[in-house]
Amino acid sequence: MAKEVTYEEIVRNLKNRIYAPVYFLMGEEDYYIDRIADYIIDTVLSETEKEFNLTVTYGADTDVANVINAAKRYPMMSEYQVVVVKEAQSLKRIEELAFYLQKPQKSTILVVCYKHGSIDRRKKLAAEIEKNGVLFESRKLKDSQIPGFISSYLKRKKVEIEPKASEMMAEFVGADLNRMAGELEKLILTLPEGARRITPEQIERNIGISKDYNNFELRSALVEKDVLKANKIIKYFEENPKNNPLQMTLAILFNFFSNLMLAYYAPEKSDQGIAAQLGLKSPWQAKEYMAAMQRYSGVKVMQIIHAIRECDARSKGIGNPSTPDGELLRDLIYFILH
């Protein structure tokens, strides 16, 4: 199996004007597909060249024959022409592109954006793409990878973010990277003149997340077994249910305690060892797991995971016709802490 190409490798080659005749961009995560396609559209051709040498079409509005005919054309007064097929998952008989890819036009850069799924890598189309071009799969990030994405995105903008602020954004936005990028751009615009660091206070003012009453702080209270703080947060959640839905809280707690269970099996019980075991971007992210391992036994963690599953089922009406979400969460937190 060919080595998978990364987003960073593709962008680096594009910046160095090292082009492939075809870029087949597929996968569940739209963000990287859009970024690569937009970068090619924006940088390969000058504004004058685009008038005659840029073709953008959509899978539902064309067919393979038209795409191949467009790709076989020669550029006009330019070294390259760019042909982009968006929403290519709607393109019927897409596998017939394999015939063109056996001998692609060197002066054409064909960009195929195949979202919300992927082609079978065992089939001829994938083999021809990998032989003559770039086959890229854009995968959804794991929850543990989102703070790393936030830091990397802001670093390119020459902006820093405090770890707590990064966790708040990861919790609030989740794995929707296009939305995350939009929210981060808003935060950059609201930075005071001369400031290049995003803080929890700035997020509270501009995004609407409470810096003291959020799932990040609830998780911290559970790690520290701070009963008073946990109950204050639960009360706030109960009074502001729209901004703090139970399902989001349960997902975050389930993810944390599932990872904590895995952490017990780390060969090395250190920040670095736990980070490696859980696939965390940096050792500081492992500190909460290290602290939780001192306060919760493996047996208790297994019981907590079961209790979270049960709470999730009851919140959906299974075996529970009337208990409100606030009471369900209160009972769960009591069980976790005692």
Side-chain angles (χ1 to χ4, degrees):
M1 183 177 172
K3 175 181 174 290
E4 286 200 23
V5 66
T6 66
Y7 169 77
E8 289 77 15
E9 289 171 338
I10 293 172
V11 172
R12 184 164 58 246
N13 283 336
L14 290 172
K15 285 182 177 178
N16 291 325
R17 298 189 69 80
I18 301 171
Y19 302 133
V22 60
Y23 293 86
F24 198 101
L25 314 173
M26 63 183 185
E28 297 295 335
E29 179 51 69
D30 293 356
Y31 177 81
Y32 294 109
I33 295 173
D34 291 339
R35 296 290 81 70
I36 294 170
D38 289 346
Y39 190 86
I40 291 172
I41 290 170
D42 292 342
T43 64
V44 172
L45 303 173
S46 69
E47 289 303 316
T48 304
E49 290 171 334
K50 285 178 186 177
E51 186 174 349
F52 298 105
N53 299 291
L54 174 61
T55 302
V56 179
T57 188
Y58 289 82
D61 300 330
T62 189
D63 56 36
V64 171
N66 282 328
V67 172
I68 292 174
N69 286 336
K72 283 184 173 180
R73 288 199 303 261
Y74 287 96
M76 291 181 61
M77 297 174 289
S78 173
E79 187 178 357
Y80 295 102
Q81 70 152 339
V82 175
V83 178
V84 181
V85 184
K86 296 191 174 185
E87 306 294 340
Q89 67 275 10
S90 300
L91 185 64
K92 294 177 180 177
R93 301 167 67 129
I94 193 170
E95 64 278 357
E96 292 180 7
L97 276 176
F99 298 110
Y100 166 76
L101 295 172
Q102 289 174 358
K103 194 175 180 182
Q105 186 75 271
K106 298 298 183 184
S107 57
T108 294
I109 298 172
L110 174 62
V111 184
V112 182
C113 304
Y114 189 103
K115 295 182 176 180
H116 316 306
S118 58
I119 59 171
D120 191 337
R121 289 178 178 269
R122 298 167 297 181
K123 297 291 181 69
K124 184 177 181 179
L125 176 57
E128 293 296 343
I129 297 165
E130 290 187 317
K131 188 191 301 181
N132 293 308
V134 172
L135 180 61
F136 170 72
E137 185 163 3
S138 183
R139 293 185 169 88
K140 285 284 185 187
L141 293 189
K142 298 176 182 176
D143 290 343
S144 60
Q145 296 174 305
I146 298 171
F149 169 83
I150 293 169
S151 298
S152 297
Y153 184 93
L154 291 173
K155 188 176 181 181
R156 292 196 296 272
K157 307 285 183 175
K158 296 182 170 51
V159 174
E160 295 181 347
I161 185 168
E162 292 185 12
K164 179 179 176 180
S166 180
E167 290 280 359
M168 288 169 66
M169 289 300 296
E171 171 208 312
F172 178 69
V173 178
D176 184 339
L177 300 190
N178 278 315
R179 183 184 167 208
M180 179 66 78
E183 296 291 353
L184 293 175
E185 288 295 337
K186 288 180 195 173
L187 287 171
I188 292 170
L189 289 173
T190 59
L191 279 170
E193 188 175 352
R196 307 303 294 171
R197 187 176 181 85
I198 294 171
T199 65
E201 289 77 15
Q202 187 196 1
I203 290 173
E204 185 173 38
R205 284 194 305 270
N206 296 287
I207 303 295
I209 316 168
S210 169
K211 68 181 177 65
D212 297 316
Y213 300 100
N214 56 65
N215 286 309
F216 173 76
E217 289 298 327
L218 176 60
R219 190 180 70 194
S220 178
L222 296 178
V223 169
E224 299 297 328
K225 288 208 166 184
D226 188 331
V227 177
L228 178 61
K229 180 179 177 181
N231 280 302
K232 284 182 177 179
I233 294 171
I234 295 167
K235 186 173 184 297
Y236 179 85
F237 283 6
E238 199 168 6
E239 292 170 352
N240 300 273
K242 287 187 178 179
N243 294 329
N244 304 279
L246 177 61
Q247 293 305 318
M248 181 183 290
T249 300
L250 293 179
I252 289 167
L253 294 181
F254 182 81
N255 181 64
F256 177 77
F257 283 103
S258 297
N259 279 343
L260 182 57
M261 196 73 244
L262 293 175
Y264 287 110
Y265 295 95
E268 183 187 341
K269 303 297 191 295
S270 65
D271 290 354
Q272 290 80 5
I274 299 299
Q277 175 79 352
L278 301 181
L280 304 176
K281 281 278 187 178
S282 67
W284 72 261
Q285 291 178 278
K287 291 187 182 299
E288 276 197 325
Y289 293 103
M290 290 287 290
M293 289 170 71
Q294 304 300 315
R295 296 180 175 89
Y296 294 92
S297 69
V299 172
K300 179 66 175 178
V301 172
M302 289 181 68
Q303 292 171 344
I304 290 170
I305 292 171
H306 176 74
I308 294 170
R309 288 183 183 276
E310 190 175 67
C311 183
D312 178 58
R314 293 183 68 200
S315 73
K316 294 169 182 172
I318 301 172
N320 168 49
S322 59
T323 309
D325 287 356
E327 190 173 330
L328 289 173
L329 181 59
R330 196 179 305 111
D331 290 345
L332 174 64
I333 299 304
Y334 181 88
F335 176 80
I336 292 173
L337 290 169
H338 297 87

